[in-house]
Amino acid sequence: MLIDGKSYRSIWLDEKDNTVVCVIDQQKLPFFFETKELRSVDDIFNAIKDMTVRGAPLIGAAGAFGMYLAALEITRQTNIRDHLSNAGRYLVSCRPTAVNLSLAVHQIYRKLENLTDPVRVAEQALKFAQELCEMEIENCRKIGEHGLKIVESVSNSKAGETVNILTHCNAGWLACIDYGTVTAPIYLAHEKGISLHIWVDETRPKNQGARLTAWELGKQGVPYTLITDNAGGHLMQKGMVDLVLVGSDRTSASGDVANKIGTYLKALAAKDNKIPFYALLPTSSFDISIHDGIRDIPVEERDPEEIMEVEGLSEGRLRSVRICPEDAKTANWAFDVTPARLITGLITEKGIFKAEETDIKKLFSDKSN
């Protein structure tokens, strides 16, 4: 996407030094646009853990580049299998919910485990990481094309009046290397001249909606209004929302969707007000080994400090302030799981599918496009 006239992805290999992976530091946005250089497996681990990089497809890509950096450490004396296996387990451990991370790491490990030449291992690791990025970008572009049909349908039903879309968290290009999942159809609709307005909820505790989605939409010229997390239900009751679009960090074989905490409540409100609720995701975010997402999808619990403090810009610096008593007991679940029965459809790079096991099986059949 273009940022102030310059094209960026959210992860890339340094053109001058192929041992350096570059990312946009999402912790600094929207106040400061900074890039960060990652030079080791530890750097990748910490960038994912502290949410310098975040979003399921981007986490997967970062994990793949982490395996590439691990491959660069191999010498003639290294036990390649053990080295890569250890690096893979370490990387996968940093965030448990987004399935893209473990999928990417396991795939790259299988491609490398039988190679014996260190140079060849590094070459193949880099090739896989770069191909994964291109695949995810293309997937997001196709998700945008399929999602655009939904937006166009709503626009036509309103005789061209503004389509009001509610989002949660950030499933934009920052989270997906380029295009995004939720934002892909929004950007395409905007380019086509469809009148749009996006309700962006703040998405506590890390405020990815307020800090990232709002920034993205503003840079692309898409009209939006920032709202509190709990305003969505009110807006739906008042007929001010036409469509709810969310992302997914892991979707089960039965169509249950794990996404940023608070997604489930948006789905309940949408169902009660008969508003279409779609999850947009690439097939790499499905986990067909899990049937009951509510019971079996691992939900990450993060540092309680994240909900005890709010970070913002003050006097030109990022500062955190406490918003609760010092001795407050806190719990910080990062995700919840929305049951398939509340989901209108799943928008993927292969088309739009029902959140049902039979339809999801079609998605993974050889006959799907």
Side-chain angles (χ1 to χ4, degrees), residues 6-24:
K6 184 176 180 180
S7 179
Y8 281 94
R9 294 178 175 182
S10 53
I11 190 168
W12 65 96
L13 194 70
D14 190 308
E15 293 181 354
K16 298 179 180 178
D17 185 348
N18 66 2
T19 67
V20 176
V21 178
C22 299
V23 296
I24 295 171

Side-chain angles (χ1 to χ4, degrees), residues 1 139-149 151-152 179-196 217 220 222:
M1 303 300 293
N139 287 346
C140 285
R141 186 188 66 79
K142 291 179 178 177
I143 288 170
E145 291 178 347
H146 295 302
L148 175 61
K149 299 172 186 175
V151 179
E152 287 178 320
Y179 290 104
T181 53
V182 167
T183 54
I186 291 173
Y187 293 145
L188 292 180
H190 180 64
E191 289 173 6
K192 287 194 70 172
I194 294 173
S195 181
L196 296 175
L217 295 176
Q220 306 306 319
V222 179

Side-chain angles (χ1 to χ4, degrees), residues 112-166:
L112 303 178
E113 63 177 331
N114 293 319
L115 299 179
T116 57
D117 176 37
V119 174
R120 180 69 172 160
V121 173
E123 289 175 346
Q124 289 301 301
L126 178 57
K127 181 173 182 287
F128 176 87
Q130 292 176 321
E131 287 176 348
L132 177 66
C133 287
E134 296 303 322
M135 179 193 73
E136 292 292 20
I137 291 169
E138 179 64 10
N139 287 346
C140 285
R141 186 188 66 79
K142 291 179 178 177
I143 288 170
E145 291 178 347
H146 295 302
L148 175 61
K149 299 172 186 175
I150 302 294
V151 179
E152 287 178 320
S153 176
V154 175
S155 176
N156 291 336
S157 71
K158 297 185 69 176
E161 291 184 13
T162 299
V163 178
N164 290 290
I165 299 172
L166 177 71

